[in-house]
Amino acid sequence: MTDQHIHVGGRRVDIEKASFWIKDYFDETANREAAALGKGPVYAYPAYDRLATGSGPNELNDGDLLAPLVLNAGPSIKAVYSLQSVRPALERSLAEIPTNLTLHTAVEKGTHTKLLGDLVSVLDPFGALPGVQLTTLVKVLHRKRPLLIPLFDDNVRRCYWTREPTAGYPMTRVRNRRDAEFFPLLAGFIDADLERQREDWTVLASHAPADTTLLRVFDVVAWRLGRGDAGR
C-alpha cells in the first residue's frame, strides 16, 4: 500500500476506517434489518444498485428516472417532467457509449470529456432543466454506465472543490461554469485519485459485493469524507 490513508481530492481517511465504511454500507442484511426495525442507519445498497426497472442499458424508463429517490436526491414532480422531456436526448447519448467502457479507459483515450459532457449538457445553461441539478441527473445515469459515470453530490464536491485555491484541492469555484465542462473535469480528477492508489482501492472494493464497481465504492468513501466522517 502506498501509505495508510486513502486520498480523495484534498481529503484523506485512514484505510482501516474506509474499509469499515465499505463493509457497513454494502451490508445488505444489516440494511434490510435496520429498515424493518426502523432504527439505525439504512444505506441504499442494494435498493439503488439493484433497482429492477425492466429497461435496457440504453433505455431510461420512468422507474430509472425515480432511482435517485433511494439516494436521497429527489426527484421532485417538476424534475420528473423535466427528465422525461430530455429522455430521448439522454438515450441517444447513452447509445454512443459502450456498456463496458471504464472511466480510466475513456480518460486515457481522451474521450471522457465529450462523452460525459454530452450526457450532462441537457443541464446547460443553468436552469435549462427545471428541478434537475447535476446530482440528480448523474444518479439517474450512473446505473446505466456504472463503470464510466461517477456519482456526484455536495459531499463529493467538498472533497475536490473549494471557493478559494487551497493546497491539495484540485478545483475552485468558477462562476457560470457549464456542467458539461465541470463534470468531465471532475471525473478526470476522480480517475487520477483512483489510479494513484489503485492497489488500495482494489483492496477496499474487495469488501463490497463482487458486482460492485470501483466508482460505486469510491462514491461511498467520498460521501463519508465530504460530510466530515473521517474525524468522528
Side-chain angles (χ1 to χ4, degrees):
M1 293 186 178
T2 53
D3 62 25
Q4 296 303 306
H5 294 87
I6 280 287
H7 298 259
V8 177
R11 301 195 179 196
R12 68 177 193 168
V13 61
D14 182 271
I15 289 175
E16 185 175 349
K17 177 171 282 191
S19 297
F20 170 77
W21 288 347
I22 298 303
K23 294 173 185 177
D24 191 37
Y25 188 96
F26 291 101
D27 188 335
E28 178 177 355
T29 300
N31 287 332
R32 292 188 182 279
E33 289 179 351
L37 293 172
K39 61 180 181 180
V42 182
Y43 299 118
Y45 180 84
Y48 171 77
D49 307 80
R50 296 182 183 172
L51 183 67
T53 66
S55 63
N58 297 331
E59 299 173 330
L60 292 167
N61 65 17
D62 288 347
D64 294 315
L65 303 185
L66 294 175
L69 281 170
V70 290
L71 286 177
N72 298 313
S76 64
I77 297 173
K78 181 192 299 184
V80 170
Y81 289 135
S82 291
L83 289 167
Q84 288 175 336
S85 73
V86 295
R87 176 160 40 200
L90 293 173
E91 290 179 337
R92 285 194 297 271
S93 292
L94 285 172
E96 297 295 320
I97 304 172
T99 57
N100 63 349
L101 180 64
T102 66
L103 176 59
H104 184 58
T105 297
V107 169
E108 280 193 319
K109 291 183 176 180
T111 59
H112 76 290
T113 298
K114 176 171 172 44
L115 294 176
L116 296 177
D118 284 352
L119 278 169
V120 304
S121 65
V122 295
L123 297 169
D124 298 318
F126 181 77
L129 211 56
V132 181
Q133 295 184 350
L134 184 61
T135 294
T136 298
L137 181 61
V138 297
K139 288 179 178 179
V140 169
L141 296 172
H142 170 79
R143 296 175 65 253
K144 297 299 173 176
R145 294 296 185 275
L147 299 173
L148 172 71
I149 303 173
L151 290 156
F152 174 76
D153 62 14
D154 279 344
N155 290 320
V156 175
R157 176 189 59 76
R158 291 186 187 103
C159 294
Y160 287 94
W161 176 19
T162 57
R163 293 188 177 275
E164 300 293 337
T166 305
Y169 288 79
M171 304 180 75
T172 57
R173 182 182 181 184
V174 177
R175 283 188 174 276
N176 301 318
R177 177 162 51 189
R178 297 178 303 113
D179 283 309
E181 177 186 353
F182 168 79
F183 189 55
L185 183 63
L186 172 67
F189 287 122
I190 289 174
D191 177 67
D193 276 341
L194 289 171
E195 288 304 305
R196 192 175 297 118
Q197 292 188 277
R198 171 64 65 167
E199 180 182 346
D200 296 334
W201 283 107
T202 300
V203 170
L204 288 181
S206 72
H207 299 309
D211 60 349
T212 308
T213 67
L214 201 59
L215 286 178
R216 185 72 167 103
V217 170
F218 171 87
D219 179 67
V220 171
V221 175
W223 172 63
R224 296 292 299 257
L225 270 172
R227 70 179 196 172
D229 291 352
R232 297 177 184 175

